[in-house]
């Protein structure tokens, strides 16, 4: 069974950092691009970042560019999101989502999400 | 960025009704459009990809159509378990963008 599971969320103050992790199981992790998608409380979905299977291609939303860094460790079946200089507007549930192998941008498996709260 | 506009933002329908949600892209996205269902407190779930292709295991009452800038998502015969918020999402270009969501409730 394909599964992805996030961890690492929590309460931090503005300007602080946090690192999210996502572990994939039940599939060949290195063959899939992976993504972070977030959802602010009561709001819609916002794509945050993508990384190709090899890690060679990385993309960010303008809202996080320069502050967030996506990475992966295929030996550990793990995806990461390093979040620096956090702002109140980064408060959201962060989901890890797998791309279909044949078409990037189709998010076919999602984790349960991890909540990040940025507040003083 | 490609803007995705969904309508309506919410709707109330009776069990057994046909429900239709539209999604309009700000530019031509060919067929690169997905539909997701999100139930309260849960992760989104992919229902339709490529405009009209059903994800395996998705009930046949869910369907999608359209290409270019105008897309439609239909539930043929609404069931109580379909209560959720539905999102469209384009994958023609980066950044990936979502519609604002349509909340479906039972009348």
């Amino acid at each position: 069974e394909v599964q992805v599971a996030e961890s690492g969320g929590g309460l931090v103050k503005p300007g602080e950092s946090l690192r999210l992790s996502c572990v994939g199981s039940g599939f060949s992790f290195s063959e899939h691009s992976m993504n972070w998608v977030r959802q602010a409380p009561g709001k819609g979905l916002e794509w945050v970042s993508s990384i190709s299977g090899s890690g060679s291609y990385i993309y960010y939303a303008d809202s996080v560019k320069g502050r967030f860094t996506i990475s992966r460790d295929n030996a550990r079946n793990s995806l990461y999101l390093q979040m620096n200089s956090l702002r109140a507007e980064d408060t959201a549930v962060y989901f890890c989502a797998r791309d279909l192998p044949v078409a990037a941008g189709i998010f076919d498996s999602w984790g349960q999400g991890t909540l990040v709260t940025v507040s003083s | 960025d490609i803007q995705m506009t969904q309508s309506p933002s919410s709707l109330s329908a009776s069990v057994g009704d046909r429900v239709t949600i539209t999604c309009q892209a700000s530019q031509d996205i060919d067929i690169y459009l997905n539909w997701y269902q999100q139930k309260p407190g849960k992760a989104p779930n992919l229902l339709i990809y490529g405009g009209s292709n059903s994800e395996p295991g998705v009930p046949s009452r869910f369907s999608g159509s359209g290409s270019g800038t105008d897309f439609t998502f239909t539930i043929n015969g609404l069931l109580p378990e379909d209560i959720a918020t539905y999102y469209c999402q384009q994958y023609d270009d980066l950044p990936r963008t979502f519609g604002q969501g349509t909340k479906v409730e039972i009348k």
Side-chain angles (χ1 to χ4, degrees):
Chain A
E1 181 189 2
V2 172
Q3 287 189 328
V4 292
E6 309 89 342
S7 61
L11 172 63
V12 296
K13 293 180 170 55
E16 293 186 342
S17 298
L18 202 60
R19 189 196 198 204
L20 306 183
S21 300
C22 169
V23 176
S25 60
F27 64 100
S28 182
F29 189 78
S30 63
E31 293 183 4
H32 294 258
S33 294
M34 298 294 294
N35 306 267
W36 289 100
V37 177
R38 69 184 180 183
Q39 186 169 38
K43 301 298 184 182
L45 300 166
E46 179 189 17
W47 171 82
V48 172
S49 183
S50 295
I51 185 168
S52 63
S54 66
S56 299
Y57 299 96
I58 288 173
Y59 308 95
Y60 297 101
D62 285 347
S63 58
V64 306
K65 200 173 296 182
R67 300 187 299 122
F68 290 10
T69 301
I70 192 171
S71 63
R72 65 190 297 160
D73 182 344
N74 287 339
R76 297 176 184 270
N77 289 348
S78 293
L79 173 73
Y80 306 102
L81 187 68
Q82 177 67 43
M83 303 185 295
N84 298 332
S85 303
L86 282 161
R87 305 167 179 168
E89 54 264 36
D90 296 317
T91 294
V93 174
Y94 285 73
F95 296 102
C96 166
R98 185 187 83 158
D99 263 355
L100 278 183
V102 295
I106 302 175
F107 307 145
D108 74 326
S109 292
W110 299 62
Q112 80 288 351
T114 187
L115 176 62
V116 173
T117 303
V118 184
S119 175
S120 53
Chain B
D1 297 2
I2 299 174
Q3 307 302 317
M4 306 302 295
T5 303
Q6 265 182 259
S7 62
S9 55
S10 66
L11 64 89
S12 181
S14 299
V15 171
D17 281 355
R18 169 185 284 191
V19 169
T20 299
I21 299 168
T22 63
C23 182
Q24 186 169 59
S26 60
Q27 64 189 66
D28 188 337
I29 59 168
D30 199 343
I31 60 166
Y32 302 121
L33 190 283
N34 303 322
W35 291 97
Y36 299 88
Q37 175 193 66
Q38 186 179 32
K39 296 184 177 181
K42 301 294 187 182
N45 180 44
L46 176 67
L47 299 180
I48 304 289
Y49 64 94
S52 61
N53 300 292
S54 293
E55 180 73 346
V58 171
S60 59
R61 64 182 181 276
F62 297 107
S63 64
S65 64
S67 66
T69 60
D70 296 301
F71 299 83
T72 300
F73 174 79
T74 301
I75 307 174
N76 271 307
L78 185 69
L79 296 179
E81 57 260 41
D82 300 335
I83 298 315
T85 299
Y86 294 84
Y87 293 93
C88 62
Q89 174 243 326
Q90 66 81 19
Y91 60 104
D92 181 62
D93 199 5
L94 289 159
R96 312 302 185 197
T97 46
F98 293 85
Q100 78 275 20
T102 296
K103 187 173 184 179
V104 175
E105 298 175 321
I106 295 286
K107 190 181 295 181

